[in-house]
Amino acid sequence: MAAPAIDSAWLASPSEPFCKSLNVCVQEANPADILPVLEAPMPFASDNSNIPKPPPLPSKNCTRTEYSKRPRECSFVPKETKDTWDRLFKEGCGADVCIITNENSCVLAHSNVLSSASPVLGNVLRLSKVKHGMRYIKIPGVPHGAVHVFIRFLYSSCYEEEELQKFVLHLLVLSHSYSIPSLKRVCICSLEQGWLTKENVVDVLQLARNCDAPRLALICVRIVVKNFKSISSTEGWRAMKRANPALEQELVESVVEADTRKQERQRKMEEKKVYLQLYEAMEALLHICKDGCRTIGPRDKVLNGSQGACNFPACKGLETLVRHFSNCETRVPGGCVHCKRMWQLLELHSRMCSEPDSCKVPLCRHFKGKMQKQSKKDETKWKLLASKVISAKNAVGSFSSRCSSLL
């Protein structure tokens, strides 16, 4: 936010009330200490003791009572049963179905098992013709090995990890096409748990959308957005660009949108940091004018320059700024940037002060009386700035109260 202009009429008596109300020990001001008052980022938490302690680790005896009350399923499939079904598939004893694959190879199976496992395969078998007591159906478009793993899963729900990783994309298509939710969950979980790479993520994204896997599709989009530069140079991206330009446009827009959100988030964080610094400056100004700090404070206070570090983060910079302001001979708009900043702080305080009659900050009532002479534009700017700083103050207060309640 641009700093509002300062009316020269407000500077009619710039130093008399200010200098008389404060006891400023003579000390040479270092310009390097003045600038950080509003510009250098400062943490708003000044005391590490306010940071809440982490919760204790759960004990070994901790049990999930929430789930212990649930009735257990009356189902248990021993390994021997799975091995029996696995052996029935591998040996093909009594098979009455021949599944022809792309390589003109055949996978033997039992029609009753296929019909029970997949209603889609049951319909295909009913429409197939019987030749010499054997039904012949085709599963085209996928390798023979993928069909073999798929049919074996229908029998025993068993698979080899290496085969699943090799044919996971084909199995995802088969499980969706023939309505096998259990195999589909296995494929999606395996892809989500680390089998997604920059080379296959575009292919997986297209399959996830076609196979009704929205969570997997969302994960793929996030990976593309995060690694767009490297993924856009892969062969999968070039093939998708040729076959599905609409998806390419959608992904590019997602990247732009994510970058815009990131920039907006950073801008808001920087803006919030400035408001927190202004809030800290207001607190430090009250502290100096009311209680005094080291070498500067009210005239009725005894200053102790050797006291320890101040708990107000902005106090050091503000102390240097006040000392410069009390000794500067320019002190006019456009003449001294440090004095201009001091005038802005004093005016901001006056707009936030609710007790001007008893306030010990210099020129507080003076600024309260001069506010009516401001233009409507400047008045709106100052009101907005004051509301932002107060909101930052309230946010810090609510955060501190939540932390205290957790202790």
Side-chain angles (χ1 to χ4, degrees):
M1 175 185 296
I6 301 178
D7 191 354
S8 59
W10 292 13
L11 309 182
S13 56
S15 61
E16 293 298 329
F18 185 89
C19 297
K20 289 181 179 180
S21 60
L22 289 180
N23 181 14
V24 182
C25 296
V26 179
Q27 185 175 342
E28 184 178 356
N30 184 5
D33 294 333
I34 299 177
L35 294 177
V37 174
L38 296 180
E39 298 175 359
M42 311 176 200
F44 65 84
S46 58
D47 189 358
N48 291 333
S49 62
N50 292 331
I51 301 177
K53 296 180 180 180
L57 295 175
S59 61
K60 295 182 180 179
N61 298 328
C62 180
T63 58
R64 296 185 180 181
T65 56
E66 181 181 354
Y67 299 97
S68 61
K69 297 180 180 179
R70 294 183 180 180
R72 296 182 179 179
E73 296 181 0
C74 299
S75 174
F76 174 69
V77 181
K79 182 178 182 300
E80 291 78 10
T81 303
K82 293 184 179 181
D83 291 342
T84 300
W85 284 98
D86 212 21
R87 188 166 56 254
L88 176 64
F89 164 69
K90 291 179 180 179
E91 294 177 357
C93 181
D96 59 348
V97 178
C98 179
I99 304 173
I100 302 174
T101 62
N102 271 359
E103 291 85 355
N104 289 326
S105 299
C106 179
V107 178
L108 297 178
H110 301 80
S111 59
N112 291 335
V113 176
L114 299 184
S115 300
S116 300
S118 169
V120 178
L121 282 174
N123 292 332
V124 173
L125 289 171
R126 280 192 292 271
L127 297 176
S128 64
K129 295 181 179 180
V130 181
K131 185 177 181 181
H132 304 296
M134 185 73 70
R135 294 180 181 273
Y136 291 87
I137 62 174
K138 290 184 178 181
I139 299 183
V142 293
H144 172 78
V147 177
H148 186 273
V149 175
F150 173 67
I151 301 301
R152 179 192 176 190
F153 188 91
L154 299 184
Y155 275 79
S156 61
S157 298
C158 295
Y159 56 88
E160 302 297 331
E161 191 75 14
E162 297 79 8
E163 292 179 337
L164 178 65
Q165 186 171 6
K166 181 179 180 181
F167 300 114
V168 63
L169 299 184
H170 304 95
L171 293 173
L172 177 61
V173 174
L174 290 173
S175 63
H176 177 73
S177 301
Y178 293 100
S179 186
I180 311 297
S182 56
L183 179 58
K184 186 176 181 179
R185 286 193 297 268
V186 171
C187 296
I188 291 175
C189 182
S190 300
L191 288 168
E192 291 178 353
Q193 296 301 321
W195 289 1
L196 288 174
T197 64
K198 295 179 181 179
E199 286 70 27
N200 69 4
V201 67
V202 176
D203 296 331
V204 175
L205 172 59
Q206 298 177 84
L207 287 178
R209 292 193 168 188
N210 294 332
C211 296
D212 191 23
R215 174 183 169 85
L216 180 60
L218 177 61
I219 293 176
C220 292
V221 171
R222 289 180 176 177
I223 294 176
V224 172
V225 171
K226 185 177 180 181
N227 307 276
F228 179 74
K229 186 174 181 180
S230 55
I231 292 177
S232 60
S233 61
T234 61
E235 182 61 32
W237 179 273
R238 288 190 287 268
M240 179 269 296
K241 184 177 180 179
R242 293 191 297 269
N244 194 352
L247 178 58
E248 180 204 14
Q249 180 65 25
E250 180 182 343
L251 292 175
V252 172
E253 291 176 357
S254 298
V255 173
V256 174
E257 182 181 355
D259 186 60
T260 303
R261 286 198 304 266
K262 182 180 178 180
Q263 293 178 0
E264 181 66 15
R265 188 163 55 249
Q266 291 176 346
R267 185 190 66 81
K268 289 184 177 180
M269 290 177 62
E270 292 297 326
E271 186 179 85
K272 183 178 180 181
K273 188 185 298 183
V274 172
Y275 295 140
L276 287 175
Q277 291 175 11
L278 286 173
Y279 164 61
E280 291 173 351
M282 295 297 99
E283 293 291 303
L285 182 62
L286 282 174
H287 163 64
I288 289 175
C289 297
K290 182 179 179 181
D291 304 322
C293 183
R294 290 178 294 202
T295 60
I296 187 171
R299 290 191 176 274
D300 57 349
K301 293 284 184 178
V302 178
L303 303 179
N304 183 10
S306 61
Q307 67 183 20
C310 181
N311 292 330
F312 291 85
C315 189
K316 182 180 179 181
L318 191 60
E319 178 183 347
T320 307
L321 184 63
V322 171
R323 182 173 290 106
H324 167 84
F325 184 74
S326 63
N327 297 321
C328 182
E329 297 180 357
T330 306
R331 209 183 299 118
V332 294
C336 179
V337 63
H338 305 315
C339 293
K340 180 179 180 180
R341 185 173 292 113
M342 188 66 212
W343 282 112
Q344 292 171 342
L345 289 176
L346 291 172
E347 180 175 359
L348 179 60
H349 161 78
S350 69
R351 291 182 174 272
M352 298 173 59
C353 182
S354 58
E355 300 177 350
D357 295 333
S358 59
C359 182
K360 293 189 177 183
V361 176
L363 303 177
C364 182
R365 282 178 293 177
H366 173 76
F367 277 107
K368 286 283 187 182
K370 295 293 184 178
M371 288 179 187
Q372 299 177 354
K373 298 182 179 180
Q374 276 189 323
S375 64
K376 187 175 181 180
K377 181 179 180 181
D378 288 341
E379 179 72 13
T380 303
K381 287 182 178 180
W382 278 108
K383 282 185 177 180
L384 179 60
L385 177 59
S387 65
K388 293 286 187 180
V389 176
I390 293 174
S391 298
K393 174 184 177 182
N394 294 335
V396 173
S398 59
F399 176 78
S400 301
S401 60
R402 288 198 301 270
C403 293
S404 300
S405 63
L406 294 174
L407 295 177

